[in-house]
Amino acid sequence: MSKPAEAQPADPLAQLIQKNQFVGWLCHVNYEEALVLTRDDWKLRAHGVPVNSFLVAAASEAPAEIILLRVTGAATLPSNEAADGLKVEKLKQRPAEAAAGGAFSDLAAEQFQLGGLQCRVLGQFYSANGRLRLGCDVESYSSAAGLAVYRPEGAALEAIVNYVSPERLASSREEAKRLGLAGDLPRFPIGTVRFSSTDRLHRGEAAGRAVFHLNAVDFLARRTAVFGMTRTGKSNTVKQLVSVVKHTSSEFKLKIGQIIYDLNGEYANANQQDKGSIAEVFPADTIRYRMMATPGFELILNNFFHQVAEGHSTLRGLIEASKIPRSADLEAFLSMDFDGPRKEDCNTDYEFQRQTAMHDLKLAAYRAVLARAGYELPEGFKFTFEVNPGVRNKVNPSVNPADGMTAQQTFEWFQLVRQIQDELITTAGKSWIEPDTNVLINLLLQKNDQGGYIPGYRLLQPFKDYHAPNRRTDVCDEIYQHLLAGKIVILDLSVGDPVQRERLSKRIARHILRSSMATFNAGQHAPHIVIYVEEAHNIIGRAEPLAEIWPTIAKEGAKARLAIVYATQEVSSIHPNILANTENIIVSHLNNQHEIGELARYYDFGDFANSLIRAQDVGFARIKTLSNPFVIPVQIDRFDPEREKRRGAGGKPH
Ligand SMILES: Nc1ncnc2c1ncn2[C@@H]1O[C@H](COP(=O)(O)OP(=O)(O)OP(=O)(O)O)[C@@H](O)[C@H]1O
Ligand SMILES: [Mg+2]
């Protein structure tokens, strides 16, 4: 089902013509528009002709070219006026009993059945070297040809909506080759073509449905927007995408890492309403993260004893967002940084060693503060740092910190340091305790420089839960490794402090971009990663500075093979620069002219203005992809956890 359209039929054009789907004759055509004459019985036989349906017009059953049309409305035939007059006369004489059923039975009937279809010319199919090609305009048209018009369905419709130009196919093949795949990049089936809200006929039992695919070549390393009013299926679309990308990538042995910023916890957890979640469908390939210890979830948090700078900046964010009164020591603590000395900044090796020793002392004092505040030590953790023999003997000759100390021993060691601090003078005549370390000792011992009481380490106690004592590596790196392995990472952001959440979200995004960019800059192929974000107006909204991490990913991520899928309710809420560079747009119901106006500026979405406002059907989307030169209306498949699980065991999606 998801195999690329590898083999083409002998005559790729003939496959688009289905005799049973004949709906009428082309009366009139120019570069932009066409008028089709049709009849009730022909329309019915072709399972209806809804507004927005595709039509094809051809001179014969083996044509050299085919005009592709989209129905935009009903049209008045030149002969209609006379027929309408006659019809009114007939209706005047019609008895009420006729309402029970039956059409006009006399000769006029045939005339009354005729009608016109107003169409827009979308392009022209022709064949070149045995392959189907689509030009997005008509080169020439024949006014007198009287082309037959069909409403394609099933296989023919599938060929139209899944058309990929030979150029893009070639680039897909090239990319596939780089990735070691045979053939083209895969395609992801996400729904079936649907033209109108009422779909009794065109998607009924007898009608052939057409599966619509998103091509990996369009989707990977590209931007995809998902728009629509609340409860119209945005999250479902995202779930469906995650799921088909996962299934297809497993089938093709193509690693695609996927990361979901799950603001409401709907991807991580089975919720009552939808009975199932991504995590449930792909248990072995999904890793869930949370900011709060929960069974089945990894902690997004870091180990404050190992990732010192990160832990400190977390504390800074939390304290700044709290109402804790600021003392001089607290201010000094907040403005500290924990970057170690750099060799290139030091004049001599000796100077570098001295600065390193001072930095280690500062780290020890900081960690002692954390331990004093009750932050659990990582397993087997010891306080270890070098102190020159002169100082060591003055502080406590029987203890050498280089041998490793417990938290209690370290606390006591700093207590002794404080007692003789005035005597610890360097050869340059300065205090051996540097200012930052001095502040940390103040916090540790709860005494300021004047010897007055301060709350000190107690201020850090409320934030203990942000420290993950069991974590060894940086969480960002761990997540990136999962993505490299083609896993689905869900960041459940439904719990935890909002400031922290935002900071961590950005940090993870920055880490992904940086790591993949580094691979790209080193001349290697970056891994394929797809990032999904909801409520996108918050991060790539109109007011967001474009230099921020999210807009940067949206603008430049493609180089590093990062695809971004962003969902939000309003088209107008997204930064116009980013929207203009979004290759794929998926829109369900919008409820006002302003939003429609924003959207109508792109491609031929204007054709769907009425239907987008009117049809509120869940999952009924209009899709513009990179490959398709025009918008395609699609009913997105419902993400059905049970079916997805079976699919993993060989079931079929449709
Ligand atoms: N294509 C679909 N087919 C059938 N049911 C669907 C489809 N898409 C969504 N639904 C159902 O409709 C409901 C709302 O869908 P969803 O949560 O995806 O909407 P949403 O646009 O993300 O809403 P919100 O703006 O509130 O986040 C869900 O119960 C979902 O199962
Ligand atoms: Mg949603």
Side-chain angles (χ1 to χ4, degrees):
M1 183 61 69
S2 54
K3 286 249 185 333
E6 179 61 46
Q8 294 253 344
D11 181 356
L13 281 178
Q15 64 162 341
L16 303 183
I17 296 172
Q18 295 158 315
K19 271 196 245 168
N20 288 344
Q21 293 299 108
F22 173 83
V23 291
W25 302 103
L26 196 64
C27 290
H28 167 80
V29 63
N30 62 29
Y31 293 112
E32 301 296 333
E33 292 172 333
L35 175 64
V36 174
L37 174 120
T38 184
R39 248 173 53 171
D40 290 352
D41 51 346
W42 296 341
K43 283 194 281 189
L44 200 61
R45 200 181 52 198
H47 308 121
V49 183
V51 171
N52 291 333
S53 51
F54 292 110
L55 300 181
V56 290
S60 69
E61 281 169 20
E65 60 194 25
I66 287 179
I67 301 177
L68 179 65
L69 308 169
R70 170 164 18 245
V71 178
T72 52
T76 318
L77 292 173
S79 63
N80 260 29
E81 233 169 79
D84 280 351
L86 185 58
K87 194 181 207 172
V88 169
E89 285 313 312
K90 287 269 173 198
L91 283 173
K92 279 183 190 164
Q93 297 155 22
R94 210 165 197 222
E97 293 76 58
F104 293 100
S105 53
D106 61 21
L107 279 179
E110 191 160 314
Q111 207 174 349
F112 292 170
Q113 286 200 28
L114 295 175
L117 295 169
Q118 187 64 46
C119 298
R120 191 143 107 88
V121 175
L122 293 179
Q124 199 160 29
F125 280 109
Y126 57 101
S127 112
N129 303 323
R131 298 199 79 98
L132 195 61
R133 291 212 66 142
L134 172 65
C136 58
D137 50 19
V138 286
E139 205 172 22
S140 179
Y141 58 84
S142 150
S143 303
L147 305 187
V149 179
Y150 307 84
R151 188 184 73 71
E153 62 168 29
L157 185 56
E158 221 162 86
I160 293 171
V161 298
N162 294 301
Y163 170 80
V164 182
S165 73
E167 290 76 20
R168 189 142 298 125
L169 221 47
S171 87
S172 156
R173 196 156 294 162
E174 225 166 80
E175 173 72 357
K177 207 150 94 198
R178 270 198 292 273
L179 296 166
L181 303 174
D184 307 333
L185 279 189
R187 316 184 295 169
F188 311 121
I190 62 164
T192 44
V193 177
R194 172 182 190 171
F195 297 113
S196 53
S197 172
T198 310
D199 63 352
R200 184 178 70 86
L201 291 175
H202 81 279
R203 288 163 53 82
E205 287 274 295
R209 291 195 179 186
V211 177
F212 175 75
H213 296 83
L214 206 52
N215 289 292
V217 67
D218 288 349
F219 180 70
L220 296 175
R222 311 276 186 198
R223 289 142 282 225
T224 300
V226 182
F227 295 121
M229 292 292 295
T230 181
R231 313 306 290 160
T232 54
K234 296 182 297 299
S235 300
N236 178 78
T237 302
V238 170
K239 285 178 201 163
Q240 192 58 23
L241 277 170
V242 174
S243 176
V244 292
V245 168
K246 180 74 215 160
H247 282 305
T248 315
S249 68
S250 310
E251 191 184 322
F252 278 75
K253 306 213 171 4
L254 164 65
K255 283 197 179 114
I256 305 174
Q258 304 191 77
I259 177 164
I260 308 165
Y261 281 74
D262 182 9
L263 295 185
N264 303 316
E266 60 187 315
Y267 301 87
N269 307 303
N271 70 34
Q272 287 289 324
Q273 204 179 8
D274 289 337
K275 296 193 232 77
S277 66
I278 289 284
E280 226 191 26
V281 173
F282 303 102
D285 286 314
T286 306
I287 301 102
R288 294 179 291 178
Y289 284 87
R290 248 192 183 181
M291 278 176 59
M292 197 173 279
T294 317
F297 286 77
E298 301 293 317
L299 270 177
I300 303 184
L301 309 169
N302 274 312
N303 188 325
F304 283 26
F305 287 87
H306 291 315
Q307 289 89 39
V308 172
E310 174 50 26
H312 176 259
S313 82
T314 302
L315 286 174
R316 183 195 298 133
L318 292 164
I319 292 171
E320 280 173 351
S322 74
K323 295 201 170 63
I324 297 176
R326 308 286 180 85
S327 64
D329 285 310
L330 185 59
E331 288 291 357
F333 174 74
L334 294 180
S335 57
M336 275 177 202
D337 77 56
F338 285 86
D339 299 336
R342 297 191 316 169
K343 206 159 185 178
E344 55 271 34
D345 297 338
C346 301
N347 287 333
T348 59
D349 279 355
Y350 172 77
E351 179 57 17
F352 178 62
Q353 279 165 15
R354 193 194 67 79
Q355 286 198 20
T356 304
M358 289 297 102
H359 181 70
D360 289 347
L361 186 70
K362 175 174 157 182
L363 286 179
Y366 171 65
R367 289 173 171 145
V369 171
L370 292 179
R372 194 80 187 146
Y375 287 65
E376 191 184 327
L377 292 182
E379 208 182 300
F381 186 85
K382 288 276 183 225
F383 288 77
T384 312
F385 49 98
E386 296 280 348
V387 179
N388 70 56
V391 173
R392 217 164 61 207
N393 288 333
K394 270 190 194 161
V395 178
N396 182 356
S398 61
V399 173
N400 184 359
D403 297 337
M405 301 192 289
T406 63
Q408 181 60 24
Q409 284 169 330
T410 311
F411 172 69
E412 288 163 7
W413 193 84
F414 277 113
Q415 270 183 322
L416 295 173
V417 165
R418 176 53 53 91
Q419 285 167 18
I420 55 153
Q421 193 165 338
D422 294 346
E423 298 168 31
L424 300 175
I425 304 295
T426 64
T427 44
K430 288 203 285 193
S431 170
W432 181 72
I433 304 290
E434 296 195 323
D436 277 358
T437 311
N438 183 55
V439 167
L440 291 165
I441 298 175
N442 287 355
L443 298 176
L444 181 65
L445 305 180
Q446 296 183 295
K447 281 207 172 75
N448 63 18
D449 284 343
Q450 290 71 42
Y453 170 81
I454 53 167
Y457 66 82
R458 280 190 189 284
L459 297 178
L460 307 187
Q461 282 175 338
F463 312 117
K464 269 193 306 213
D465 287 346
Y466 290 94
H467 156 61
N470 299 326
R471 178 175 291 293
R472 295 224 134 257
T473 51
D474 181 0
V475 67
C476 296
D477 203 45
E478 184 180 293
I479 288 174
Y480 194 71
Q481 295 306 322
H482 287 315
L483 295 176
L484 289 184
K487 304 275 182 196
I488 302 171
V489 173
I490 304 178
L491 302 180
D492 179 349
L493 302 171
S494 61
V495 290
D497 172 73
V499 178
Q500 268 306 97
R501 241 170 24 199
E502 159 133 17
R503 227 179 49 77
L504 267 166
S505 308
K506 277 192 189 166
R507 201 173 155 253
I508 294 166
R510 202 173 295 123
H511 186 85
I512 295 173
L513 180 66
R514 271 199 202 138
S515 311
S516 287
M517 269 303 194
T519 313
F520 169 73
N521 288 334
Q524 289 155 4
H525 296 303
H528 275 298
I529 292 176
V530 187
I531 306 179
Y532 300 87
V533 279
E534 294 244 6
E535 311 288 343
H537 50 275
N538 289 327
I539 55 171
I540 46 175
R542 285 181 168 262
E544 297 305 310
L546 282 177
E548 279 278 347
I549 179 65
W550 285 109
T552 309
I553 289 185
K555 275 190 343 243
E556 292 162 25
K559 271 189 249 164
R561 285 186 170 155
L562 293 181
I564 182 163
V565 177
Y566 61 89
T568 183
Q569 290 192 19
E570 291 172 348
V571 184
S572 62
S573 65
I574 294 298
H575 200 292
N577 254 359
I578 292 177
L579 189 52
N581 287 305
T582 297
E583 289 91 346
N584 307 300
I585 302 180
I586 302 177
V587 198
S588 50
H589 169 59
L590 295 174
N591 75 347
N592 66 75
Q593 286 299 347
H594 175 69
E595 290 304 316
I596 296 280
E598 286 289 323
L599 185 68
R601 294 202 253 165
Y602 294 92
Y603 309 105
D604 50 341
F605 276 110
D607 282 354
F608 295 86
N610 285 340
S611 133
L612 278 166
I613 282 211
R614 226 167 126 174
Q616 303 187 12
D617 306 76
V618 176
F620 179 19
R622 322 302 184 282
I623 304 182
K624 167 70 180 78
T625 66
L626 184 60
S627 280
N628 269 112
F630 42 79
V631 174
I632 294 162
V634 173
Q635 175 64 38
I636 308 270
D637 288 337
R638 186 191 174 122
F639 172 73
D640 175 348
E642 291 310 316
R643 190 189 57 190
E644 295 298 320
K645 284 185 213 166
R646 285 197 302 276
R647 226 185 122 184
K652 283 260 157 96
H654 294 283

